[in-house]
Amino acid sequence: MKKTGPVLTGIGASAGIAEGFVKIVEGIRDISKFNEGDILVTEITEPSMVIMMNKAAAIVTNLGGITSHPAILARELGIPCVVATKTATTMLKEGMKVKVDGTKGEVYIAEDDKE
Amino acid sequence: MIKNNQQQYPEWIDEFARSFHHAFKKMVPTSWGPVDGWALLSHLNGSFIRKLHQSVKKVKEKETSIKEVAESFSCPSTLRLALYFLALEYQFQSDKDKKQFKEIIEFFIDVLKEMIREDIFAYDRNITHTSEEIKNIVNSTPWIKADIPMAKEVGKLYSSLASLVYAEYRDFFPQDAHDIYGPYDVSSKFGNEAILLIKHFIKIRPKEIWPDLKSSYDDVKIFQVLKHVKFSCEVIGMHSLYEGDIVRNTVALAVRINNKFVDDIREVGRAHEEIARIATDHSRVYGDMSEAEVKLKFLEWLCYQFFGFFRIANVDWRPTQEMMRSVKDKQIPNRCEIKEFPSWEEYRSSKNFEIFWLKDLYHNSH
């Protein structure tokens, strides 16, 4: 079987691997659609996203460095995080099932990739 | 004193440069807001320096002890960053008063030395407690034997508190309410390779700058013992970096909320949910703020770092009219325009950065 590479790469900011459904978020109005275990995907996290961050299985952002808000919080939460991907919010689609590898800084499309 | 070519200057300036460069080169300033703080500071033209100098003189006249001054700050990271912002303001000041600025800086370096046990600019650790103090903490704290569910709930508590602080102080000033102390060796009590981190959230109900904030949380401390985890931080103590999974490797915990220890996982859960709601609600305020209000808020944050110190000096902590006039008509972007930090060589020697001007304080050519 052909092994496909990552669909996205960035800085691995918090180690671990998690799978879940992508939710592209911008702020408070996205709270109601975010479920426990979803993958939080955003430009850069804001304080308004904390309820979602506390439910997320992983966090993926376009911007940020190793000591940015998403990176620090993901490490404290013990969940994988990939920052500085530049294009997470455009390359990943709502409801897509992905695997986030926070150790390597890579995001893959998972099998059974639809919610 | 360091002697470099014709110049002599105190060692702390090299330590300052080393620690700030080490921290900032990892950061990505272009996402920082709600205003470009670097640009704003460059317009102050000594107005905050003059306000501080007045207070330093008053405190010296009163003969207030350095210890009392040190205790007036929320944490060491506040003072470290406050000194950085002062150095930036001085760098851009058109009519520099060397003697005045040197007096301020040397005074607060002495205060920082009172607060920190080793490495005052925290290159990779933030040691504020003596070994005797740590021994007392270890022996008197009501420890909970940590399991994964409890460690996860405490992780969420941390996340909620950090987000509340971020909502209240945004990108330039969260260290005024949040610091991490350690790592401390606690292997004698908890076994080989055990370290203690003390995660402190203070000034989290800053009613002076946010009078409408509805919160009952004043002070939270998380005492976390980890094994087989390597911890480091930066000049900003809450910029924590770990090697190893902290949720799975937490062996003991204690959580103190408003001076009361909490050992029930449900109570920790209720706290993090409530704090997350407060953070979410408070984050809305920025959407309604005008450009003038954002500038004023930045000046308030800048002054609020010294809130306790101004109280000792019996000086109004709020921004002066001179400070407000200095930024009023200036076009300041709402996000940082600096894309990356300079190289080490450039940072420590170029006139375009604050290190040159700190060293220049000790240059006697004029």
Side-chain angles (χ1 to χ4, degrees), chain B residues 143-162:
Chain B
W143 295 104
I144 309 165
K145 192 170 177 325
D147 54 23
I148 290 176
M150 186 54 148
K152 284 191 173 191
E153 287 299 284
V154 173
K156 290 178 185 178
L157 178 64
Y158 185 99
S159 163
S160 298
L161 285 160

Side-chain angles (χ1 to χ4, degrees), chain A residues 7 13 16 21 23 39-40 47 53 60 64 66 70 84 93 107 109 113:
Chain A
V7 67
F21 296 105
K23 292 285 162 68
I39 307 296
L40 193 154
M53 291 173 83
V60 182
I66 199 80
K93 304 298 173 203
V107 181
I109 304 295
D113 67 351

Side-chain angles (χ1 to χ4, degrees), chain B residues 2-13:
Chain B
I2 308 265
K3 196 164 181 183
N4 186 353
N5 296 332
Q6 276 96 42
Q7 271 191 298
Q8 278 197 328
Y9 57 88
E11 271 184 62
W12 66 259
I13 295 179

Side-chain angles (χ1 to χ4, degrees), chain B residues 59-319:
Chain B
V59 165
K60 281 182 168 181
E61 278 159 21
K62 285 172 72 175
E63 296 183 336
T64 307
S65 70
I66 288 291
K67 185 171 186 295
E68 188 181 342
V69 174
E71 287 168 358
S72 75
F73 288 91
S74 54
C75 58
S77 292
T78 291
L79 187 50
R80 287 191 283 256
L81 268 293
L83 292 175
Y84 174 76
F85 296 142
L86 281 168
L88 273 178
E89 183 187 351
Y90 180 72
Q91 176 193 334
F92 289 100
Q93 190 177 349
S94 57
D95 54 344
K96 289 178 175 49
D97 185 334
K98 260 193 186 180
K99 189 172 166 224
Q100 181 189 75
F101 190 65
K102 195 174 169 189
E103 186 178 357
I104 294 171
I105 280 288
E106 288 186 343
F107 178 80
F108 286 114
I109 289 294
D110 282 343
V111 175
L112 194 54
K113 285 177 180 171
E114 176 67 27
M115 296 167 99
I116 291 285
R117 304 293 139 229
E118 55 180 80
D119 184 10
I120 64 170
F121 286 106
Y123 183 81
D124 61 5
R125 52 186 51 219
N126 195 18
I127 304 297
T128 59
H129 298 77
T130 62
S131 26
E132 197 57 35
E133 285 169 334
I134 292 301
K135 198 173 158 191
N136 289 338
I137 287 170
V138 164
N139 290 335
S140 64
T141 299
W143 295 104
I144 309 165
K145 192 170 177 325
D147 54 23
I148 290 176
M150 186 54 148
K152 284 191 173 191
E153 287 299 284
V154 173
K156 290 178 185 178
L157 178 64
Y158 185 99
S159 163
S160 298
L161 285 160
S163 297
L164 175 61
V165 166
Y166 188 20
E168 292 168 337
Y169 295 89
R170 292 308 308 198
D171 288 278
F172 284 85
F173 300 95
Q175 64 282 346
D176 198 15
H178 177 190
D179 215 348
I180 298 181
Y181 311 124
Y184 300 108
D185 178 358
V186 291
S187 52
S188 58
K189 165 113 179 160
F190 292 100
N192 216 19
E193 289 186 33
I195 60 169
L196 168 65
L197 301 176
I198 300 173
K199 300 174 178 180
H200 194 190
F201 294 89
I202 189 173
K203 272 166 107 172
I204 53 175
R205 193 162 63 109
K207 56 187 187 312
E208 293 84 4
I209 53 171
W210 297 114
D212 295 333
L213 180 74
K214 289 174 179 46
S215 170
S216 59
Y217 296 92
D218 287 313
D219 186 295
V220 179
K221 256 189 189 165
I222 297 170
F223 301 83
Q224 190 165 15
V225 178
L226 299 160
K227 265 190 172 181
H228 315 304
V229 170
K230 200 173 159 198
F231 168 86
S232 64
C233 64
E234 295 174 341
V235 69
I236 303 168
M238 56 142 173
H239 279 192
S240 49
L241 291 155
Y242 301 96
E243 284 176 37
D245 182 328
I246 74 164
V247 167
R248 279 154 188 77
N249 290 309
T250 296
V251 300
L253 280 164
V255 176
R256 199 179 74 194
I257 299 177
N258 293 344
N259 287 319
K260 182 178 160 262
F261 280 100
V262 168
D263 58 9
D264 187 329
I265 192 171
R266 289 166 299 184
E267 217 175 320
V268 173
R270 275 195 293 273
H272 77 64
E273 283 173 8
E274 189 181 356
I275 293 166
R277 274 195 299 275
I278 298 168
T280 304
D281 285 344
H282 191 71
S283 66
R284 293 174 212 255
V285 305
Y286 296 96
D288 295 330
M289 286 173 81
S290 67
E291 192 181 304
E293 285 169 332
V294 169
K295 285 181 190 174
L296 176 58
K297 190 56 67 185
F298 189 97
L299 295 180
E300 286 183 350
W301 282 322
L302 188 69
C303 294
Y304 200 62
Q305 297 173 112
F306 292 88
F307 178 79
F309 177 70
F310 286 131
R311 182 179 272 170
I312 291 173
N314 203 23
V315 165
D316 186 345
W317 71 271
R318 288 170 297 187

